[in-house]
Amino acid sequence: MSSKDLFKSVLFLCRFVLPRRPSACHTNHGRSQRHPSLEDLASQTVVCDVEGALLRTSSTFPYFMLVALEAGGFLRGLLLLLLHPLISCLGHEVGIRIMVMVCFFGLRKEDFRVGRAALPKFFLEQVGLEGFEVLRRGGRRVCVSSMPTVMVEGFLKEYLDVEVVLGRELKLLGGYYTGLMEDRVIGFGHVDLAHHQLFTHCKVSHHISTQYEVYVHINYTVYESITCEVCLVGEAEKRRWHPLPSSQYPKPLVFHDGRIAFTPDAISTLCMFLWFPLGFALAFARALVFLCLPYALCVPLLAFLGMHSRLITSDDKEERRGDGSQLYICNHRTLLDGLYISAALGRHLTATTYSVSRISEWFSPIRTVRLTRNREEDAARMKKLVQEGDLLVCPEGTTCREPYLLRFSQLVAEISREVVPVALESWVSMFYGTSTGKLKFLDPLYFLMNPFPCYEVEFMARVATGAIGGKECSSYEMANHLQAEIGTRLGFQCTSLTRKDKYLLLAGNEGTI
Ligand SMILES: O=P(O)(O)OC[C@H](O)CO
């Protein structure tokens, strides 16, 4: 976009009144209208207030709570919860400063991954379709937030294609967050350069001295020097907004991390803390039942203890007869996939694993065998295992929480003449039972601590691995075929993403053991 175009840009600041940011712009600056014309935005710059005009709720508390719980731990989350009444009484700016102090103090910048790994899912769920429609049409998209940039940047840039993010910068000491915010815009990195260019064209760059003033300039000053339209969005109007459907995300949300599976507003977080003692006891009881009782007894007892499951079998009952060893392949939802499939079959399977913690292996009621990630060695190992008895392989090599299937390993089509595909779906309401961090051994515990974890296990008709529709095929084609079959059955989208892609995004490593 040329500087002339930029100078002519129309800034659409869609916002609703926040405590410290009254609607002065409504009377002081530019034209204001309730609904912006969406035509011709492609040649213009749209400036959007994240909390005010993009998200359906203006409260930032749940996002800070996610930072506190995921990056700081449950005690930090509890402290933030206890401070909630105070934060609600104080003004917006003071409240943000307190939350930043509680959530960020002492965290190492290098280790802070919540902004990219956990928060985008929750932000995306709160995006209003109506607000996004305006932002999406802008030739250049600028987002402003009163939250720290590290919290919103990943979501806005990675998932909504926003070019410039104006958030708050955090002070650092020796690579650790101090819990304080910078008063001045710092550095001349990509973002700040973009600010500079943008505001130079808007003839206000020389006024920018603090991050907060940037915000004030956008709200109250910038309209005096350029042509602009302002769209104000009231809280009542936002309540009528629709959530942005996941099918309309500019980039699909395939991977995310973190333990918390619900939006942690104050009430929900309080419920979670109250649930903890009971949840822990319940998880212990469920694990004991799983470990000690035969499947015939443990399935009904676990259902009584709130673990709901549903078994679907194909018309071809042969695959469950148990007359000889069988290779089962399934999409990977959690570490408990093997247990649910074993329980559904009523007999133990052997399951291959990549990165299960030693503790989970010790406690596993079914036999687990580690793969080496060496193709020849793994193929030999799996061939041997499938000759010894029923074997379960998860050809994705890692779990996926969303309705997507990662690339299937070709090995599953090379080690046996036929496979039984198993389509799995699972649901949790409080804690995710998967992780990419160091505390993987807690994955089963978190899954079992959910009030009503659910699983659906569907045995599909067995597939001969040598041919598709009577036509000979390669193992690569067969792997894709199996992925497509399971994807179609579940309504999941097939991707070519891998375990490495997931771990690079969420954990900053390649997911090797
Ligand atoms: O989601 P992950 O990467 O912990 O996968 C766990 C699997 O069981 C790998 O064997």
Side-chain angles (χ1 to χ4, degrees), residues 332 335 352-356 397-399 435 440 499 502-503:
H332 205 358
L335 216 57
T352 55
T353 64
Y354 281 111
S355 65
V356 175
T398 189
T399 54
S435 63
K440 259 182 192 302
R499 176 186 175 84
K502 171 180 154 177
Y503 275 81

Side-chain angles (χ1 to χ4, degrees), residues 82-97:
L82 294 174
L83 288 172
H84 179 259
L86 178 69
I87 291 166
S88 313
C89 296
L90 300 171
H92 176 76
E93 176 63 15
V94 182
I96 290 276
R97 285 182 183 277

Side-chain angles (χ1 to χ4, degrees), residues 227-409:
T227 312
C228 71
E229 278 183 80
V230 182
C231 171
L232 299 176
V233 183
E235 207 157 351
E237 186 173 347
K238 284 214 313 176
R239 273 198 286 274
R240 292 194 297 275
W241 276 10
H242 300 90
L244 178 68
S246 54
S247 58
Q248 289 186 35
Y249 291 173
K251 184 181 165 194
L253 177 84
V254 182
F255 301 125
H256 56 90
D257 205 8
R259 291 290 180 204
I260 306 302
F262 60 96
T263 301
D265 55 40
I267 298 292
S268 309
T269 310
L270 177 64
C271 292
M272 179 194 74
F273 279 111
L274 294 176
W275 171 257
F276 254 132
L278 181 59
F280 191 77
L282 198 56
F284 192 69
R286 288 165 170 174
L288 270 185
V289 170
F290 246 133
L291 292 172
C292 304
L293 295 182
Y295 290 126
L297 283 177
C298 92
V299 173
L301 197 51
L302 286 173
F304 176 74
L305 291 174
M307 292 188 75
H308 298 158
S309 57
R310 184 162 167 246
L311 171 63
I312 306 169
T313 56
S314 70
D315 292 338
D316 173 16
K317 296 281 190 302
E318 291 294 295
E319 72 273 13
R320 303 192 62 230
R321 204 175 51 195
D323 58 345
S325 58
Q326 178 73 65
L327 174 64
Y328 294 88
I329 61 151
C330 67
N331 60 305
H332 205 358
R333 298 295 287 178
T334 77
L335 216 57
L336 276 71
D337 292 348
L339 293 189
Y340 274 93
I341 293 174
S342 291
L345 289 167
R347 61 176 188 269
H348 286 326
L349 293 166
T350 298
T352 55
T353 64
Y354 281 111
S355 65
V356 175
S357 81
R358 293 280 177 206
I359 299 174
S360 300
E361 284 178 334
W362 289 333
F363 283 107
S364 172
I366 61 170
R367 182 182 172 209
T368 59
V369 176
R370 288 186 169 227
L371 297 179
T372 60
R373 309 183 72 75
N374 173 301
R375 189 180 159 75
E376 283 70 39
E377 206 169 328
D378 286 344
R381 199 170 281 196
M382 286 196 266
K383 272 182 190 158
K384 186 164 173 284
L385 287 170
V386 81
Q387 279 161 12
E388 289 170 7
D390 291 332
L391 178 67
L392 174 68
V393 177
C394 302
E396 292 171 288
T398 189
T399 54
C400 184
R401 298 170 172 182
E402 294 297 317
Y404 294 93
L405 295 180
L406 310 194
R407 193 173 74 198
F408 273 29
S409 161

Side-chain angles (χ1 to χ4, degrees), residues 19 63 74 78 92 107 127 147 164 225 254 282 305 323 331 370 407 446 494:
Y63 311 112
F74 284 97
L78 184 60
H92 176 76
L107 295 184
V127 170
M147 287 182 271
V164 180
S225 58
V254 182
L282 198 56
L305 291 174
D323 58 345
N331 60 305
R370 288 186 169 227
R407 193 173 74 198
Y446 277 107
C494 296

Side-chain angles (χ1 to χ4, degrees), residues 492-506:
F492 285 13
Q493 202 174 315
C494 296
T495 74
S496 57
L497 295 166
T498 63
R499 176 186 175 84
K500 187 172 160 184
D501 296 319
K502 171 180 154 177
Y503 275 81
L504 279 177
L505 176 76
L506 301 180

